[in-house]
Amino acid sequence: MSLRTSSRGRDRRRAGPAVLAVLAAGAVLLSGCSASGSAHDRSSGTSHESGRRSPGGKPAPSSAQGAPGTGDRGDATPRGEDDGRRTEAPPVDHLSTFALDVDTASWGYARRTLAEGNLPDPATVRPEEFVNSFRQDYRRPEGDGFSVTVDGARTGADGWSLMRVGLATRDGLGHGQRPPAALTFVVDISGSMAEPGRLDLVRTSLDLMTDRLRDDDSVAVVAFSDKAETRLPMTRLDGNRKRVHQVVDRLRPTDSTNVEAGITRGYETAVEGRRAGATNRVVLLSDALANTGTTSADALLQRIDGARRDHGITLFGVGVGSDYNDAFMERLVDKGDGHTVYVSDREEARRVFCDELPAQVELRARDAKAQVSFDPRNVERFRLIGYDNRRVADDAFRDDTVDGGEVGPGHTVTALYAVRLRPDASGHVATATVRWLDPDGRAPHEESGRVEAAALTGGAWEQAAPRFQVTAAAAFLASALREREGGWEAVPGAPGLGRLSEITAGLADRTEDAEVRQLSEAVRQARRLLG
């Protein structure tokens, strides 16, 4: 899951390969798939978790106060206005505020691009989505909302450390206990979807999901190319699975890509078939290469936002293919309070639909935001790694009219900071607070965790627990892929790709985790391509 540093409903200018996400479709796959969990290793360093809950939304205690709305760079660190690139800026305060998100598409697309022997466009590399693509071992809360874990380790740069803020929600209800789902699948059948690994993979994924949904779940299918049509109105699966499979199997690529027509008809179908008491979702499956109708996301944002607010219908994106229009699709999904995931092959589709997407059916928190307060007595500089366009003004943290992120059960969200401590630092370094609204009653709650200097200065990151090392390695790889073009701020103390390749290969062996093996392979490929 990703923490987003910009208000979801307001300033959403995010660039990057937006592989629409399968997360959307997953909202319903709460079916018979069982999540594949590997043993989680407790991270090294001192982890301080305090559970302060504030139903009334009272301010979290903070030893660092600064001017509101100044972003996520501490002290005199240069800060880019929106995209993380270097521009001169005056010193800022010691607060970092962002909204939560669970996108992982950037990592999936980068991994595929590297495997094909190419380097991803630096603008499509979002470090937070790399970091949040790997399992974590954070403590789970007993009730709704979040647990907060903060820990850290030293880097190779003088005075710099990595600080990890980890948020987790408790697991969801069993397959038979969740609310029913009402899913409207909006499927791109344009000519570009004829490429292997696009429409064929979409059909496979929809068939897989249809077999795993419950009898009391409902689905609708909208297909679009130059125009859109409803191929299947909202239909309960009880006694109708064969009919759904027939509609899916008849999807064939035709002409141009009119995403505007597909989104418009998709939401109309979803509103017509909306079920009270069910999880209502629009699932967009596309390569996002719009070439007819409205080809700018701006014209569609208000329509999507209205459906979300008026009818509680959220949008999820599933990205396929080797070419995407991320700026277009990512903005649509973000405006619809959804998530993006990238799927490149059948194995990945099975993992996403069986392991990841079921967590999207329920909600644990609405409009969730996080704020980290650094103690200026001990912290000289800090920088949030990634989340370049996910900022929320510091003084909007407790403004519940400002959109945050929607987070489901069983999720973890990680924010990684580069922190430079003062030479004589001791005691309190930072307090991380997450604020969210109840999914139903919308009452505000908060939870906090804090970290001391000893956790950041005790040991080097290469000696930390495996899950911390994986987090750091993912961020270091993203940094290397962005820095090659210049203008992006590197992570202080990042090792060379040769050393990083050795470390990730060892982590893959230690964790016996297939996803960590993929990270190791991606580092090796990046090293070869970058020379």
Side-chain angles (χ1 to χ4, degrees):
M1 306 161 88
S2 323
L3 301 156
R4 44 183 91 159
T5 27
S6 80
S7 173
R8 187 189 288 265
R10 308 216 174 167
D11 186 24
R12 281 305 226 200
R13 292 166 298 183
R14 182 169 155 186
V19 208
L20 287 194
V22 176
L23 287 182
V28 178
L29 310 172
L30 307 189
S31 59
C33 296
S34 60
S36 61
S38 64
H40 297 313
D41 305 294
R42 182 62 60 181
S43 179
S44 70
T46 304
S47 173
H48 302 268
E49 300 177 331
S50 66
R52 186 210 42 188
R53 186 172 277 211
S54 175
K58 297 178 181 179
S62 168
S63 57
Q65 298 296 329
T70 47
D72 64 355
R73 300 292 202 285
D75 220 353
T77 304
R79 180 182 61 177
E81 179 182 350
D82 278 306
D83 63 1
R85 291 177 180 269
R86 297 188 185 98
T87 57
E88 292 304 318
V92 298
D93 68 301
H94 282 72
L95 293 175
S96 175
T97 309
F98 44 86
L100 273 59
D101 188 19
V102 294
D103 293 347
T104 60
S106 177
W107 161 245
Y109 180 56
R111 184 169 64 82
R112 171 174 177 165
T113 303
L114 289 168
E116 292 175 342
N118 300 308
L119 288 168
D121 182 341
T124 69
V125 176
R126 298 186 287 273
E128 70 276 14
E129 296 188 21
F130 280 49
V131 166
N132 283 290
S133 294
F134 299 93
R135 290 191 293 272
Q136 297 290 353
D137 56 1
Y138 306 135
R139 175 183 63 85
R140 302 282 180 176
E142 294 181 359
D144 288 342
F146 299 87
S147 65
V148 182
T149 302
V150 192
D151 56 13
R154 289 185 293 107
T155 71
D158 182 38
W160 286 94
S161 299
L162 291 176
M163 188 185 85
R164 182 177 64 162
V165 177
L167 309 175
T169 59
R170 69 180 173 91
D171 293 333
L173 300 172
H175 179 57
Q177 297 176 290
R178 65 167 175 84
L183 305 179
T184 300
F185 294 100
V186 179
V187 183
D188 184 349
I189 58 170
S190 62
S192 63
M193 292 291 286
E195 176 190 291
R198 297 196 186 194
L199 187 55
D200 58 335
L201 186 58
V202 167
R203 287 197 300 264
T204 297
S205 299
L206 292 181
D207 281 335
L208 179 68
M209 188 183 61
T210 298
D211 288 338
R212 285 166 169 75
L213 293 176
R214 293 190 327 217
D215 286 346
D216 62 343
D217 293 327
S218 301
V219 300
V221 179
V222 171
F224 71 93
S225 54
D226 58 333
K227 61 182 180 179
E229 63 174 326
T230 301
R231 298 285 182 90
L232 180 73
M234 192 63 70
T235 302
R236 276 180 60 110
L237 288 175
D238 184 14
N240 291 303
R241 293 181 195 272
K242 183 177 179 180
R243 181 185 176 192
V244 176
H245 283 303
Q246 289 173 340
V247 170
V248 169
D249 294 344
R250 288 172 185 157
L251 296 173
R252 292 292 182 272
T254 55
D255 302 315
S256 52
T257 309
N258 189 337
V259 177
E260 177 186 18
I263 288 292
T264 301
R265 186 62 190 137
Y267 269 96
E268 289 173 352
T269 301
V271 171
E272 291 169 2
R274 183 180 180 277
R275 292 178 56 185
T279 299
N280 293 271
R281 299 280 189 266
V282 169
V283 180
L284 178 61
L285 303 100
S286 173
D287 59 14
L289 300 176
N291 54 28
T292 60
T294 297
T295 57
S296 169
D298 294 341
L300 296 175
L301 297 181
Q302 190 59 44
R303 180 178 294 125
I304 293 174
D305 189 49
R308 176 186 65 83
R309 289 183 289 101
D310 299 340
H311 302 285
I313 299 173
T314 53
L315 175 67
F316 292 87
V318 178
V320 294
S322 57
D323 213 4
Y324 309 94
N325 184 342
D326 181 55
F328 184 75
M329 285 309 200
E330 190 85 13
R331 290 196 67 193
L332 288 180
V333 173
D334 285 347
K335 190 68 174 180
D337 279 346
H339 312 294
T340 61
V341 168
Y342 174 66
V343 173
S344 61
D345 55 40
R346 298 191 179 209
E347 180 57 34
E348 193 166 39
R350 182 175 296 278
R351 175 179 61 81
V352 168
F353 280 101
C354 290
D355 297 346
E356 298 178 7
L357 300 183
Q360 299 303 318
V361 176
E362 304 172 59
L363 274 183
R364 285 283 178 264
R366 291 188 182 276
D367 289 326
K369 310 183 195 80
Q371 185 171 82
V372 180
S373 173
F374 290 89
D375 192 328
R377 296 170 300 181
N378 287 317
V379 177
E380 183 178 293
R381 299 175 71 184
F382 70 90
R383 177 159 61 86
L384 178 60
I385 298 170
Y387 305 106
D388 301 317
N389 299 312
R390 302 282 196 181
R391 302 185 185 110
V392 171
D394 293 335
D395 58 356
F397 177 57
R398 293 184 174 86
D399 182 351
D400 295 329
T401 66
V402 174
D403 280 344
E406 276 59 48
V407 181
H411 277 282
T412 62
V413 182
T414 300
L416 197 63
Y417 286 86
V419 179
R420 185 166 187 172
L421 298 179
R422 301 188 184 279
D424 58 349
S426 64
H428 176 255
V429 167
T431 297
T433 302
V434 58
R435 179 182 177 87
W436 73 95
L437 305 181
D438 280 339
D440 299 322
R442 303 188 70 85
H445 299 281
E446 294 186 6
E447 200 81 23
S448 293
R450 47 186 287 130
V451 67
E452 308 291 310
L456 275 63
T457 60
W461 76 274
E462 298 97 324
Q463 281 76 52
R467 292 295 160 186
F468 189 99
Q469 291 187 56
V470 169
T471 301
F476 288 144
L477 173 60
S479 179
L481 292 173
R482 296 213 299 184
E483 270 296 299
R484 75 178 193 274
E485 188 179 81
W488 299 97
E489 293 179 273
V491 179
L497 288 176
R499 175 59 180 151
L500 191 61
S501 182
E502 295 174 0
I503 293 172
T504 53
L507 285 170
D509 291 338
R510 290 177 62 188
T511 62
E512 297 183 345
D513 185 334
E515 294 176 350
V516 178
R517 180 69 64 188
Q518 291 174 347
L519 174 62
S520 176
E521 182 63 15
V523 172
R524 187 190 65 79
Q525 292 160 344
R527 179 190 181 191
R528 177 175 57 81
L529 292 168
L530 289 171

